[in-house]
């Protein structure tokens, strides 16, 4: 196939769940021990950088409980881990989830600014409102309703952006001869007072190498899309067929102009689980093996979490029952229910789907077949790239980098070398100027 005429290339992230994204992935003989395994994390990061990936992405959660996906109960705190990985990587973006519902803007802004400095400009923040109500119990708080969580997120992100602009880019002159550590007039103390958050002090770090970390968002509900159109630079989404992906892609990109943004200012990267074999039959056999190892009680628990309703009392071999719209999990629950209706799935079949990829696109086949699907979605405006979700680590991720990436490179769809040293440079995103510098330039014109 020919190269993309515009020179447009895919963006690629690896979504790292140490135990694998398939609920039974950790049981495969080739899966390394997940959980708090630094050697595995270093291997994945090195492999991602060898494959010229844009970013290494860590999700996060707070709650624990019987039947949870193993990756949710054996994991490092994301910023701590990414800070360690920053020392052994040079180009790979380092992205972490942080909640706007159970945190304070100052702590979050400082942590991601520190990571950006430590990595030389490779930090990214996945802004989440934390969907699952049981997370509130860890903090002794009542979980806010959906609309309120997004209102909190709006304030939280704005407060963080103010904090990241606390200092001008050239503030820290450290002139030893004159005894001047910081240039006078370069500190801008935020005075932010919202309904949910108040910030009255500046950040005690120089401005980030990237100006501010790359902002990612994963919500696909209407409020989530509206927030992304205003503030996000990368969107992770769950789509499992091209038509729905195209609708989401067009709809979200169309909202950008309202905020003075161009379509290239936001990269849409659906989650994607490839199950790769040397032949299609081998890949199908691998998927069948993963399915046989599935604990249905655990799978049902994961499904219940995604649907926001206890599914344990329903007949697994009956059609998926009608459920009321869920306050906390609107976009993902609706996606799964629509998939079940469209394909006539039983509850057991939906459990298997969710256990595999939680509603994201799954392709089972050879490296060529995986590349073909990725190319189709990319060329047909279903995606700007993908957030890769291997069923287990490291061998399935290694297979993608060793077998699929060269095919995409040969087709001119994916880079052979990094464009720069910062995540923004590699994603093709502009470095945002300080709002204060921009205001001064505007006033001088």
């Amino acid at each position: 196939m020919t190269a993309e005429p515009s020179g447009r290339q895919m963006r690629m992230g690896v979504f790292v769940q140490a135990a694998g994204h398939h609920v039974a992935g950790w049981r495969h003989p080739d899966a390394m021990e997940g959980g708090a395994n630094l050697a595995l994390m270093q291997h994945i990061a090195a492999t991602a950088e060898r494959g010229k990936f844009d970013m290494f992405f860590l999700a996060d959660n707070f709650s624990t409980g019987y039947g949870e996906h193993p990756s949710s109960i054996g994991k490092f705190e994301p910023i701590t881990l990414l800070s360690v990985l920053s020392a052994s990587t040079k180009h790979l973006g380092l992205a972490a989830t942080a909640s706007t519902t159970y945190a304070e803007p100052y702590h979050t802004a400082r942590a991601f600014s520190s990571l950006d400095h430590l990595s030389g400009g490779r930090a990214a923040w996945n802004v989440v409102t934390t969907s699952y109500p049981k997370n509130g119990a860890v903090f002794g708080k009542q979980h806010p309703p959906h609309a309120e969580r997004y209102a909190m997120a709006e304030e939280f992100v704005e407060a963080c952006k103010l904090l990241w602009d606390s200092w001008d880019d050239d503030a820290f002159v450290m002139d030893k001869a004159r005894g001047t550590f910081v240039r006078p007039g370069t500190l801008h103390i935020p005075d932010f007072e919202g309904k949910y958050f108040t910030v009255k002090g500046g950040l005690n770090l120089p401005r980030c190498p990237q100006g501010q970390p790359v902002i990612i968002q994963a919500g696909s509900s209407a409020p989530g899309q509206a927030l992304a159109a205003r503030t996000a630079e990368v969107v992770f989404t769950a789509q499992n067929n091209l038509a729905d992906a195209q609708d989401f892609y067009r709809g979200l990109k169309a909202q950008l102009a309202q905020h003075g943004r161009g379509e290239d200012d936001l990269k849409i990267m659906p989650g994607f689980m490839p199950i790769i074999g040397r032949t299609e039959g081998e890949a199908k056999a691998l998927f069948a093996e993963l399915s046989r190892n599935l604990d249905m009680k655990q799978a049902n628990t994961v499904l219940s979490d995604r649907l926001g309703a206890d599914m344990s009392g329903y007949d697994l071999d009956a059609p998926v029952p009608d459920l009321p719209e869920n306050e906390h999990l609107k976009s993902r629950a609706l996606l799964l229910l629509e998939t079940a209706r469209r394909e006539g799935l039983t509850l057991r079949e939906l459990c298997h789907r969710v256990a595999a990829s939680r509603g994201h696109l799954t392709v089972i086949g050879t490296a060529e077949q995986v590349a073909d699907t990725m190319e189709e979605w990319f060329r047909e405006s279903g995606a700007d790239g993908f957030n890769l979700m291997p069923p287990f680590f490291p061998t399935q991720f290694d297979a993608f980098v060793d077998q699929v990436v060269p095919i995409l490179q040969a087709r001119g769809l994916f880079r052979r070398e990094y464009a720069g040293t910062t995540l923004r440079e590699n994603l093709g995103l502009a470095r945002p100027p300080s709002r204060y510098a921009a205001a001064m330039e505007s006033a001088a014109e």
Side-chain angles (χ1 to χ4, degrees):
M1 296 187 184
T2 60
E4 180 72 11
S6 65
R8 176 172 167 259
Q9 293 194 323
M10 289 181 190
R11 309 303 172 183
M12 205 84 73
V14 55
F15 183 172
V16 181
Q17 295 273 39
H21 282 276
H22 193 290
V23 170
W26 66 276
R27 297 184 64 184
H28 192 275
D30 291 342
M32 283 183 67
E33 180 184 348
N37 185 340
L38 179 58
L40 176 57
M41 297 296 101
Q42 290 171 323
H43 175 88
I44 295 169
T47 303
E49 192 157 77
R50 175 167 61 82
K52 311 304 178 186
F53 271 55
D54 291 279
M55 70 182 82
F56 176 112
F57 166 62
L58 294 170
D60 198 20
N61 67 289
F62 306 118
S63 64
T64 61
Y66 176 79
E68 296 246 5
H69 189 303
S71 280
S72 71
I73 53 176
K75 61 201 307 180
F76 291 106
E77 188 282 315
I79 294 289
T80 306
L81 174 58
L82 294 180
S83 296
V84 173
L85 296 179
S86 71
S88 60
T89 53
K90 293 183 178 180
H91 301 278
L92 184 65
L94 303 169
T97 291
S99 174
T100 57
T101 304
Y102 298 106
E104 288 291 333
Y106 188 90
H107 290 145
T108 299
R110 189 185 189 198
F112 280 95
S113 180
S114 295
L115 179 61
D116 207 53
H117 280 286
L118 289 169
S119 64
R122 295 183 282 132
W125 170 27
N126 180 39
V127 180
V128 300
T129 67
T130 306
S131 298
Y132 304 109
K134 62 186 176 183
N135 284 284
V138 178
F139 301 93
K141 294 182 178 181
Q142 184 68 33
H143 194 61
H146 187 271
E148 186 175 13
R149 294 201 314 276
Y150 275 96
M152 294 171 70
E154 290 263 13
E155 283 192 10
F156 198 109
V157 172
E158 178 58 24
C160 285
K161 288 184 174 182
L162 279 166
L163 286 162
W164 288 322
D165 282 349
S166 294
W167 296 94
D168 290 345
D169 283 317
D170 59 352
F172 288 72
V173 293
M174 290 180 277
D175 187 330
K176 294 182 180 180
R178 296 183 180 182
T180 304
F181 192 77
V182 296
R183 190 164 56 81
T186 56
L187 172 61
H188 309 279
I189 298 176
D191 185 10
F192 180 86
E193 188 163 353
K195 181 178 178 181
Y196 304 100
F197 303 103
T198 299
V199 177
K200 301 288 185 180
L203 202 62
N204 60 355
L205 275 172
R207 195 160 188 260
C208 298
Q210 294 189 105
Q212 66 181 41
V214 172
I215 301 295
I216 304 171
Q217 197 183 328
S220 296
S221 65
Q225 291 186 50
L227 179 61
R230 287 191 291 276
T231 66
E233 295 162 300
V234 175
V235 165
F236 294 153
T237 181
Q239 309 292 336
N240 54 35
N241 68 82
L242 180 56
D244 288 348
Q246 290 169 322
D247 287 344
F248 179 86
Y249 187 96
R250 286 192 295 263
L252 182 51
K253 295 274 188 173
Q255 296 182 49
L256 296 173
Q258 303 169 27
H259 307 286
R261 306 180 67 195
E263 290 196 2
D264 288 341
D265 294 336
L266 177 67
K267 314 300 181 184
I268 297 176
M269 298 171 62
F272 175 52
M273 177 182 283
I275 297 177
I276 303 167
R278 288 168 295 186
T279 64
E280 184 177 353
E282 184 178 275
K284 288 180 176 179
L286 172 57
F287 184 70
E289 180 182 357
L290 293 170
S291 298
R292 285 194 301 272
N293 287 336
L294 188 62
D295 179 332
M296 285 306 296
K297 185 173 183 179
Q298 186 180 72
N300 209 321
T301 299
V302 173
L303 178 63
S304 297
D305 276 348
R306 295 303 181 273
L307 295 181
D310 183 1
M311 306 303 293
S312 61
Y314 293 97
D315 182 354
L316 283 172
D317 295 309
V320 177
D322 291 325
L323 297 172
E325 185 173 341
N326 184 271
E327 169 62 30
H328 299 288
L329 301 168
K330 291 184 178 180
S331 59
R332 184 60 59 86
L334 289 173
L335 168 70
L336 294 172
L337 291 172
E338 288 168 2
T339 299
R341 300 281 179 270
R342 182 176 61 247
E343 300 184 27
L345 302 179
T346 65
L347 187 57
R348 185 185 302 276
E349 290 169 331
L350 185 59
C351 270
H352 278 272
R353 292 285 186 91
V354 173
S357 60
R358 303 186 301 286
H360 295 85
L361 173 66
T362 302
V363 175
I364 304 167
T366 64
E368 195 85 22
Q369 289 171 314
V370 168
D372 288 346
T373 298
M374 296 176 74
E375 179 170 3
E376 181 184 20
W377 278 51
F378 180 68
R379 288 188 183 277
E380 299 300 323
S381 298
D384 292 313
F386 300 90
N387 200 20
L388 202 71
M389 301 168 57
F392 55 86
F393 290 96
T395 54
Q396 277 288 294
F397 183 48
D398 293 348
F400 183 90
V401 169
D402 293 336
Q403 299 173 36
V404 181
V405 166
I407 296 172
L408 298 174
Q409 290 171 330
R411 296 179 184 181
L413 297 170
F414 190 60
R415 68 167 69 89
R416 293 182 183 274
E417 296 296 338
Y418 284 104
T421 58
T422 72
L423 178 56
R424 287 186 175 279
E425 289 171 325
N426 291 323
L427 286 172
L429 296 170
R431 183 182 189 272
S434 163
R435 68 188 65 203
Y436 303 106
M440 289 178 64
E441 288 177 8
S442 179
E445 291 176 356

